Short mmCIF file of all heavy atoms in Angstrom, two decimals:
data_model
loop_
_atom_site.label_atom_id
_atom_site.label_comp_id
_atom_site.label_asym_id
_atom_site.label_seq_id
_atom_site.Cartn_x
_atom_site.Cartn_y
_atom_site.Cartn_z
N TYR A 923 -5.40 33.90 -49.51
CA TYR A 923 -5.25 35.15 -48.66
C TYR A 923 -6.48 35.97 -48.74
O TYR A 923 -7.24 36.04 -49.78
CB TYR A 923 -4.05 35.98 -49.26
CG TYR A 923 -2.71 35.40 -48.87
CD1 TYR A 923 -1.96 34.61 -49.70
CD2 TYR A 923 -2.17 35.69 -47.61
CE1 TYR A 923 -0.75 34.11 -49.35
CE2 TYR A 923 -0.95 35.27 -47.24
CZ TYR A 923 -0.19 34.51 -48.10
OH TYR A 923 1.03 34.01 -47.80
N LEU A 924 -6.74 36.74 -47.65
CA LEU A 924 -7.78 37.74 -47.66
C LEU A 924 -7.05 39.08 -47.69
O LEU A 924 -6.02 39.19 -47.11
CB LEU A 924 -8.61 37.64 -46.25
CG LEU A 924 -9.36 36.30 -46.03
CD1 LEU A 924 -10.01 36.41 -44.65
CD2 LEU A 924 -10.39 36.05 -47.18
N TYR A 925 -7.63 40.04 -48.45
CA TYR A 925 -6.93 41.31 -48.58
C TYR A 925 -7.94 42.48 -48.54
O TYR A 925 -9.19 42.26 -48.73
CB TYR A 925 -6.13 41.37 -49.91
CG TYR A 925 -6.94 41.51 -51.15
CD1 TYR A 925 -7.27 42.70 -51.67
CD2 TYR A 925 -7.40 40.34 -51.85
CE1 TYR A 925 -7.99 42.82 -52.84
CE2 TYR A 925 -8.17 40.38 -52.99
CZ TYR A 925 -8.43 41.70 -53.43
OH TYR A 925 -9.23 41.79 -54.61
N ARG A 926 -7.37 43.70 -48.32
CA ARG A 926 -8.24 44.87 -48.32
C ARG A 926 -7.35 45.99 -48.77
O ARG A 926 -6.30 46.33 -48.21
CB ARG A 926 -8.74 45.14 -46.81
CG ARG A 926 -9.62 46.50 -46.83
CD ARG A 926 -10.09 46.63 -45.35
NE ARG A 926 -9.01 46.77 -44.41
CZ ARG A 926 -8.82 45.92 -43.34
NH1 ARG A 926 -9.74 45.12 -43.04
NH2 ARG A 926 -7.83 46.15 -42.48
N LEU A 927 -7.74 46.64 -49.97
CA LEU A 927 -7.05 47.72 -50.53
C LEU A 927 -7.83 49.03 -50.31
O LEU A 927 -9.00 49.14 -50.68
CB LEU A 927 -6.84 47.51 -52.01
CG LEU A 927 -6.08 48.70 -52.80
CD1 LEU A 927 -4.57 48.73 -52.32
CD2 LEU A 927 -6.13 48.43 -54.31
N SER A 928 -7.18 50.01 -49.71
CA SER A 928 -7.90 51.26 -49.33
C SER A 928 -6.88 52.44 -49.48
O SER A 928 -5.67 52.26 -49.60
CB SER A 928 -8.49 51.20 -48.00
OG SER A 928 -7.50 51.01 -47.00
N TYR A 929 -7.50 53.65 -49.51
CA TYR A 929 -6.68 54.85 -49.49
C TYR A 929 -7.31 55.81 -48.46
O TYR A 929 -8.49 55.75 -48.13
CB TYR A 929 -6.59 55.51 -50.85
CG TYR A 929 -7.88 56.10 -51.37
CD1 TYR A 929 -8.23 57.44 -51.07
CD2 TYR A 929 -8.73 55.28 -52.21
CE1 TYR A 929 -9.41 57.99 -51.61
CE2 TYR A 929 -9.89 55.80 -52.71
CZ TYR A 929 -10.22 57.12 -52.39
OH TYR A 929 -11.41 57.68 -52.87
N LYS A 930 -6.48 56.79 -47.97
CA LYS A 930 -6.90 57.79 -46.97
C LYS A 930 -7.44 59.04 -47.68
O LYS A 930 -6.65 59.61 -48.37
CB LYS A 930 -5.75 58.06 -45.99
CG LYS A 930 -6.23 59.02 -44.89
CD LYS A 930 -5.13 59.19 -43.98
CE LYS A 930 -5.53 60.04 -42.70
NZ LYS A 930 -4.41 60.29 -41.76
N ASP A 931 -8.75 59.31 -47.48
CA ASP A 931 -9.35 60.47 -48.07
C ASP A 931 -8.69 61.78 -47.49
O ASP A 931 -8.60 61.91 -46.27
CB ASP A 931 -10.86 60.46 -47.81
CG ASP A 931 -11.50 61.59 -48.63
OD1 ASP A 931 -11.29 62.79 -48.31
OD2 ASP A 931 -12.29 61.29 -49.59
N GLY A 932 -8.16 62.61 -48.45
CA GLY A 932 -7.47 63.81 -47.89
C GLY A 932 -8.35 64.80 -47.26
O GLY A 932 -7.87 65.68 -46.55
N VAL A 933 -9.70 64.80 -47.49
CA VAL A 933 -10.62 65.71 -46.94
C VAL A 933 -11.15 65.23 -45.62
O VAL A 933 -11.13 66.02 -44.58
CB VAL A 933 -11.76 66.05 -47.96
CG1 VAL A 933 -12.72 67.05 -47.33
CG2 VAL A 933 -11.20 66.61 -49.17
N THR A 934 -11.71 64.02 -45.60
CA THR A 934 -12.34 63.51 -44.40
C THR A 934 -11.32 62.77 -43.49
O THR A 934 -11.70 62.62 -42.30
CB THR A 934 -13.49 62.55 -44.80
OG1 THR A 934 -12.89 61.38 -45.47
CG2 THR A 934 -14.44 63.18 -45.77
N GLY A 935 -10.23 62.38 -44.00
CA GLY A 935 -9.33 61.59 -43.20
C GLY A 935 -9.66 60.12 -42.99
O GLY A 935 -8.95 59.35 -42.33
N LYS A 936 -10.70 59.69 -43.63
CA LYS A 936 -11.22 58.29 -43.53
C LYS A 936 -10.64 57.40 -44.55
O LYS A 936 -10.19 57.87 -45.62
CB LYS A 936 -12.70 58.32 -43.64
CG LYS A 936 -13.42 59.02 -42.50
CD LYS A 936 -14.95 58.90 -42.65
CE LYS A 936 -15.76 59.65 -41.61
NZ LYS A 936 -17.16 59.58 -41.78
N GLN A 937 -10.54 56.15 -44.18
CA GLN A 937 -9.98 55.13 -45.19
C GLN A 937 -11.16 54.72 -46.15
O GLN A 937 -12.27 54.48 -45.68
CB GLN A 937 -9.48 53.90 -44.45
CG GLN A 937 -8.12 54.08 -43.78
CD GLN A 937 -7.03 54.33 -44.76
OE1 GLN A 937 -6.33 55.31 -44.67
NE2 GLN A 937 -6.81 53.47 -45.69
N VAL A 938 -10.89 54.85 -47.47
CA VAL A 938 -11.89 54.55 -48.40
C VAL A 938 -11.57 53.16 -49.09
O VAL A 938 -10.46 53.05 -49.58
CB VAL A 938 -11.96 55.61 -49.55
CG1 VAL A 938 -12.93 55.19 -50.58
CG2 VAL A 938 -12.27 56.91 -48.97
N LEU A 939 -12.42 52.18 -48.89
CA LEU A 939 -12.17 50.88 -49.46
C LEU A 939 -12.37 50.83 -50.94
O LEU A 939 -13.40 51.29 -51.44
CB LEU A 939 -13.15 49.88 -48.76
CG LEU A 939 -13.00 48.36 -49.16
CD1 LEU A 939 -11.59 47.90 -48.69
CD2 LEU A 939 -14.13 47.58 -48.61
N VAL A 940 -11.40 50.29 -51.60
CA VAL A 940 -11.34 50.18 -53.10
C VAL A 940 -11.65 48.83 -53.57
O VAL A 940 -12.38 48.51 -54.44
CB VAL A 940 -10.03 50.72 -53.73
CG1 VAL A 940 -9.99 50.53 -55.17
CG2 VAL A 940 -9.81 52.20 -53.34
N ALA A 941 -10.98 47.78 -52.93
CA ALA A 941 -11.17 46.36 -53.30
C ALA A 941 -10.90 45.53 -52.14
O ALA A 941 -10.05 45.83 -51.29
CB ALA A 941 -10.25 46.02 -54.50
N SER A 942 -11.57 44.35 -51.99
CA SER A 942 -11.36 43.43 -50.92
C SER A 942 -11.94 42.06 -51.17
O SER A 942 -12.81 41.98 -52.18
CB SER A 942 -11.89 44.00 -49.62
OG SER A 942 -13.36 44.04 -49.71
N THR A 943 -11.61 41.11 -50.51
CA THR A 943 -12.25 39.74 -50.50
C THR A 943 -13.52 39.83 -49.68
O THR A 943 -13.73 40.77 -48.97
CB THR A 943 -11.27 38.71 -49.99
OG1 THR A 943 -10.70 39.15 -48.76
CG2 THR A 943 -10.12 38.46 -50.99
N ASP A 944 -14.33 38.80 -49.76
CA ASP A 944 -15.54 38.79 -48.89
C ASP A 944 -15.19 38.69 -47.45
O ASP A 944 -15.83 39.32 -46.66
CB ASP A 944 -16.40 37.50 -49.28
CG ASP A 944 -16.88 37.66 -50.78
OD1 ASP A 944 -17.09 38.82 -51.17
OD2 ASP A 944 -17.18 36.65 -51.29
N GLY A 945 -14.19 37.98 -47.03
CA GLY A 945 -13.78 37.91 -45.65
C GLY A 945 -12.84 39.06 -45.25
O GLY A 945 -12.18 39.64 -46.08
N GLU A 946 -12.82 39.43 -44.05
CA GLU A 946 -12.03 40.41 -43.47
C GLU A 946 -10.70 39.88 -43.02
O GLU A 946 -10.68 38.91 -42.18
CB GLU A 946 -12.74 41.18 -42.31
CG GLU A 946 -12.01 42.41 -41.74
CD GLU A 946 -12.16 43.61 -42.59
OE1 GLU A 946 -12.98 43.55 -43.56
OE2 GLU A 946 -11.59 44.59 -42.35
N PRO A 947 -9.50 40.38 -43.41
CA PRO A 947 -8.27 39.86 -42.92
C PRO A 947 -8.09 40.16 -41.48
O PRO A 947 -8.29 41.32 -41.00
CB PRO A 947 -7.17 40.56 -43.83
CG PRO A 947 -7.89 41.80 -44.33
CD PRO A 947 -9.31 41.43 -44.48
N VAL A 948 -7.66 39.11 -40.72
CA VAL A 948 -7.53 39.27 -39.24
C VAL A 948 -6.02 39.40 -38.93
O VAL A 948 -5.15 38.66 -39.42
CB VAL A 948 -8.04 37.98 -38.56
CG1 VAL A 948 -7.83 38.11 -36.98
CG2 VAL A 948 -9.54 37.80 -38.85
N ASP A 949 -5.69 40.43 -38.13
CA ASP A 949 -4.25 40.69 -37.73
C ASP A 949 -3.40 40.72 -38.97
O ASP A 949 -2.42 40.08 -39.15
CB ASP A 949 -3.74 39.65 -36.76
CG ASP A 949 -2.36 40.03 -36.17
OD1 ASP A 949 -2.07 41.17 -36.28
OD2 ASP A 949 -1.67 39.05 -35.82
N PRO A 950 -3.77 41.57 -40.00
CA PRO A 950 -3.05 41.57 -41.29
C PRO A 950 -1.68 42.27 -41.24
O PRO A 950 -1.32 43.01 -40.37
CB PRO A 950 -4.04 42.40 -42.20
CG PRO A 950 -4.59 43.42 -41.24
CD PRO A 950 -4.79 42.72 -39.97
N ILE A 951 -0.91 41.87 -42.26
CA ILE A 951 0.26 42.57 -42.65
C ILE A 951 -0.18 43.78 -43.36
O ILE A 951 -0.91 43.64 -44.41
CB ILE A 951 1.26 41.71 -43.51
CG1 ILE A 951 1.81 40.58 -42.67
CG2 ILE A 951 2.36 42.53 -44.03
CD1 ILE A 951 2.79 40.97 -41.59
N SER A 952 0.37 44.99 -43.10
CA SER A 952 -0.13 46.18 -43.80
C SER A 952 1.12 46.87 -44.43
O SER A 952 2.06 47.15 -43.80
CB SER A 952 -0.80 47.19 -42.83
OG SER A 952 -1.98 46.56 -42.33
N VAL A 953 1.03 47.17 -45.76
CA VAL A 953 2.02 47.90 -46.40
C VAL A 953 1.44 49.18 -47.00
O VAL A 953 0.35 49.05 -47.72
CB VAL A 953 2.71 47.06 -47.50
CG1 VAL A 953 3.66 47.92 -48.35
CG2 VAL A 953 3.48 45.90 -46.93
N SER A 954 1.95 50.37 -46.77
CA SER A 954 1.51 51.59 -47.25
C SER A 954 2.40 52.25 -48.31
O SER A 954 3.66 51.96 -48.24
CB SER A 954 1.16 52.62 -46.16
OG SER A 954 0.17 52.12 -45.31
N THR A 955 1.95 52.99 -49.24
CA THR A 955 2.77 53.73 -50.11
C THR A 955 2.01 55.05 -50.46
O THR A 955 0.78 55.15 -50.37
CB THR A 955 2.94 52.88 -51.45
OG1 THR A 955 3.88 53.52 -52.28
CG2 THR A 955 1.67 52.65 -52.24
N ASN A 956 2.79 56.03 -51.05
CA ASN A 956 2.22 57.28 -51.33
C ASN A 956 2.24 57.37 -52.88
O ASN A 956 3.19 57.29 -53.53
CB ASN A 956 3.06 58.40 -50.77
CG ASN A 956 2.48 59.78 -50.99
OD1 ASN A 956 2.39 60.24 -52.13
ND2 ASN A 956 2.00 60.47 -50.01
N VAL A 957 0.95 57.53 -53.41
CA VAL A 957 0.81 57.61 -54.87
C VAL A 957 0.30 59.01 -55.15
O VAL A 957 -0.86 59.33 -55.03
CB VAL A 957 -0.18 56.60 -55.39
CG1 VAL A 957 -0.33 56.70 -56.97
CG2 VAL A 957 0.29 55.18 -55.09
N HIS A 958 1.23 59.88 -55.56
CA HIS A 958 0.95 61.26 -55.92
C HIS A 958 0.10 61.98 -54.90
O HIS A 958 -0.96 62.50 -55.15
CB HIS A 958 0.29 61.31 -57.28
CG HIS A 958 1.23 60.99 -58.46
ND1 HIS A 958 2.12 61.86 -58.96
CD2 HIS A 958 1.52 59.78 -59.07
CE1 HIS A 958 2.81 61.36 -59.89
NE2 HIS A 958 2.50 60.01 -59.96
N GLY A 959 0.56 61.82 -53.64
CA GLY A 959 -0.03 62.61 -52.55
C GLY A 959 -1.06 61.91 -51.74
O GLY A 959 -1.63 62.44 -50.76
N THR A 960 -1.40 60.68 -52.15
CA THR A 960 -2.46 59.90 -51.41
C THR A 960 -1.86 58.68 -50.82
O THR A 960 -1.10 57.94 -51.47
CB THR A 960 -3.59 59.55 -52.43
OG1 THR A 960 -4.17 60.72 -52.89
CG2 THR A 960 -4.67 58.76 -51.61
N ALA A 961 -2.22 58.42 -49.60
CA ALA A 961 -1.63 57.22 -48.86
C ALA A 961 -2.54 55.95 -49.13
O ALA A 961 -3.72 56.02 -48.82
CB ALA A 961 -1.58 57.50 -47.37
N TRP A 962 -1.98 54.99 -49.81
CA TRP A 962 -2.68 53.73 -50.13
C TRP A 962 -2.16 52.68 -49.17
O TRP A 962 -0.96 52.60 -48.84
CB TRP A 962 -2.42 53.26 -51.52
CG TRP A 962 -3.12 54.17 -52.56
CD1 TRP A 962 -2.77 55.39 -52.93
CD2 TRP A 962 -4.31 53.84 -53.24
NE1 TRP A 962 -3.67 55.84 -53.87
CE2 TRP A 962 -4.67 54.83 -54.11
CE3 TRP A 962 -5.11 52.65 -53.25
CZ2 TRP A 962 -5.73 54.85 -54.94
CZ3 TRP A 962 -6.19 52.68 -54.10
CH2 TRP A 962 -6.58 53.71 -54.93
N THR A 963 -3.01 51.80 -48.78
CA THR A 963 -2.67 50.68 -47.89
C THR A 963 -3.21 49.33 -48.35
O THR A 963 -4.38 49.28 -48.73
CB THR A 963 -3.20 50.91 -46.46
OG1 THR A 963 -2.66 52.18 -45.94
CG2 THR A 963 -2.76 49.77 -45.50
N LEU A 964 -2.38 48.30 -48.38
CA LEU A 964 -2.93 46.98 -48.62
C LEU A 964 -2.66 46.10 -47.33
O LEU A 964 -1.54 45.91 -46.93
CB LEU A 964 -2.04 46.38 -49.78
CG LEU A 964 -2.39 44.88 -50.18
CD1 LEU A 964 -3.81 44.77 -50.67
CD2 LEU A 964 -1.42 44.42 -51.32
N ASP A 965 -3.83 45.58 -46.90
CA ASP A 965 -3.83 44.67 -45.77
C ASP A 965 -3.87 43.27 -46.24
O ASP A 965 -4.71 42.93 -47.07
CB ASP A 965 -4.96 45.00 -44.83
CG ASP A 965 -4.88 46.43 -44.25
OD1 ASP A 965 -3.75 46.85 -43.97
OD2 ASP A 965 -5.93 47.08 -44.06
N LEU A 966 -3.16 42.34 -45.67
CA LEU A 966 -3.12 40.96 -46.19
C LEU A 966 -2.89 39.96 -45.05
O LEU A 966 -2.17 40.19 -44.14
CB LEU A 966 -1.96 40.86 -47.18
CG LEU A 966 -1.76 39.57 -47.99
CD1 LEU A 966 -2.96 39.50 -49.04
CD2 LEU A 966 -0.50 39.47 -48.73
N ALA A 967 -3.76 38.94 -45.09
CA ALA A 967 -3.63 37.88 -44.02
C ALA A 967 -4.07 36.52 -44.65
O ALA A 967 -5.05 36.56 -45.54
CB ALA A 967 -4.47 38.20 -42.87
N PRO A 968 -3.54 35.38 -44.18
CA PRO A 968 -4.10 34.12 -44.63
C PRO A 968 -5.54 33.87 -44.27
O PRO A 968 -6.03 34.30 -43.24
CB PRO A 968 -3.19 33.09 -43.89
CG PRO A 968 -1.98 33.85 -43.48
CD PRO A 968 -2.47 35.22 -43.18
N ALA A 969 -6.25 33.26 -45.22
CA ALA A 969 -7.68 33.03 -44.98
C ALA A 969 -7.94 32.06 -43.76
O ALA A 969 -9.00 32.28 -43.05
CB ALA A 969 -8.38 32.37 -46.20
N GLU A 970 -7.00 31.24 -43.43
CA GLU A 970 -7.17 30.30 -42.31
C GLU A 970 -6.47 30.85 -41.14
O GLU A 970 -6.39 30.04 -40.12
CB GLU A 970 -6.59 28.92 -42.69
CG GLU A 970 -7.38 28.21 -43.90
CD GLU A 970 -6.82 26.85 -44.10
OE1 GLU A 970 -5.88 26.41 -43.45
OE2 GLU A 970 -7.42 26.13 -44.98
N GLY A 971 -5.97 32.08 -41.12
CA GLY A 971 -5.28 32.55 -39.93
C GLY A 971 -3.86 32.32 -40.01
O GLY A 971 -3.35 31.49 -40.83
N TRP A 972 -3.07 32.93 -39.06
CA TRP A 972 -1.67 32.76 -39.05
C TRP A 972 -1.21 31.38 -38.50
O TRP A 972 -0.02 30.94 -38.96
CB TRP A 972 -1.01 33.98 -38.27
CG TRP A 972 -1.22 35.27 -38.79
CD1 TRP A 972 -2.05 36.24 -38.34
CD2 TRP A 972 -0.62 35.76 -40.02
NE1 TRP A 972 -1.94 37.34 -39.16
CE2 TRP A 972 -1.09 37.08 -40.21
CE3 TRP A 972 0.23 35.20 -40.97
CZ2 TRP A 972 -0.83 37.87 -41.29
CZ3 TRP A 972 0.60 36.04 -42.06
CH2 TRP A 972 0.02 37.29 -42.24
N MET A 973 -1.95 30.81 -37.73
CA MET A 973 -1.49 29.45 -37.16
C MET A 973 -2.27 28.30 -37.91
O MET A 973 -3.52 28.25 -37.89
CB MET A 973 -1.89 29.39 -35.64
CG MET A 973 -1.34 28.07 -35.01
SD MET A 973 -1.74 27.94 -33.33
CE MET A 973 -3.47 27.61 -33.29
N PRO A 974 -1.51 27.55 -38.65
CA PRO A 974 -2.16 26.47 -39.37
C PRO A 974 -2.92 25.49 -38.42
O PRO A 974 -2.51 25.37 -37.22
CB PRO A 974 -0.96 25.78 -40.09
CG PRO A 974 0.02 26.77 -40.10
CD PRO A 974 -0.13 27.62 -38.88
N LEU A 975 -3.89 24.84 -38.96
CA LEU A 975 -4.69 23.90 -38.14
C LEU A 975 -3.86 22.84 -37.54
O LEU A 975 -4.12 22.40 -36.36
CB LEU A 975 -5.91 23.33 -38.96
CG LEU A 975 -6.91 24.42 -39.44
CD1 LEU A 975 -7.90 23.65 -40.37
CD2 LEU A 975 -7.62 24.99 -38.24
N TRP A 976 -2.90 22.36 -38.24
CA TRP A 976 -2.06 21.24 -37.75
C TRP A 976 -1.29 21.58 -36.42
O TRP A 976 -1.08 20.69 -35.59
CB TRP A 976 -1.17 20.72 -38.77
CG TRP A 976 0.05 21.60 -39.12
CD1 TRP A 976 0.05 22.51 -40.09
CD2 TRP A 976 1.28 21.69 -38.47
NE1 TRP A 976 1.24 23.17 -40.09
CE2 TRP A 976 2.02 22.66 -39.18
CE3 TRP A 976 1.83 20.95 -37.43
CZ2 TRP A 976 3.33 22.99 -38.75
CZ3 TRP A 976 3.21 21.32 -37.06
CH2 TRP A 976 3.89 22.22 -37.69
N VAL A 977 -0.97 22.91 -36.30
CA VAL A 977 -0.30 23.25 -35.05
C VAL A 977 -1.22 23.23 -33.89
O VAL A 977 -0.81 22.75 -32.76
CB VAL A 977 0.24 24.79 -35.28
CG1 VAL A 977 0.92 25.17 -33.92
CG2 VAL A 977 1.28 24.80 -36.40
N GLY A 978 -2.47 23.71 -34.05
CA GLY A 978 -3.48 23.61 -32.94
C GLY A 978 -3.72 22.19 -32.59
O GLY A 978 -3.81 21.86 -31.44
N ALA A 979 -3.84 21.30 -33.63
CA ALA A 979 -4.07 19.92 -33.40
C ALA A 979 -2.93 19.32 -32.69
O ALA A 979 -3.13 18.45 -31.77
CB ALA A 979 -4.33 19.21 -34.71
N PHE A 980 -1.66 19.75 -32.95
CA PHE A 980 -0.54 19.15 -32.33
C PHE A 980 -0.55 19.53 -30.83
O PHE A 980 -0.15 18.63 -29.94
CB PHE A 980 0.76 19.69 -33.00
CG PHE A 980 1.98 19.17 -32.41
CD1 PHE A 980 2.45 17.80 -32.74
CD2 PHE A 980 2.71 19.83 -31.49
CE1 PHE A 980 3.63 17.41 -32.14
CE2 PHE A 980 3.84 19.38 -30.95
CZ PHE A 980 4.36 18.11 -31.26
#
Side-chain angles (χ1 to χ4, degrees):
Y923 281 97
L924 301 178
Y925 72 91
R926 179 178 59 233
L927 178 66
S928 62
Y929 68 88
K930 186 175 182 180
D931 189 290
V933 178
T934 65
K936 297 180 179 180
Q937 286 296 122
V938 179
L939 182 64
V940 176
S942 67
T943 48
D944 292 336
E946 186 80 5
V948 178
D949 186 22
I951 293 289
S952 297
V953 173
S954 297
T955 187
N956 187 290
V957 179
H958 290 277
T960 300
W962 287 77
T963 301
L964 177 61
D965 299 323
L966 190 67
E970 295 184 358
W972 294 110
M973 185 180 73
L975 294 177
W976 69 268
V977 177
F980 181 81

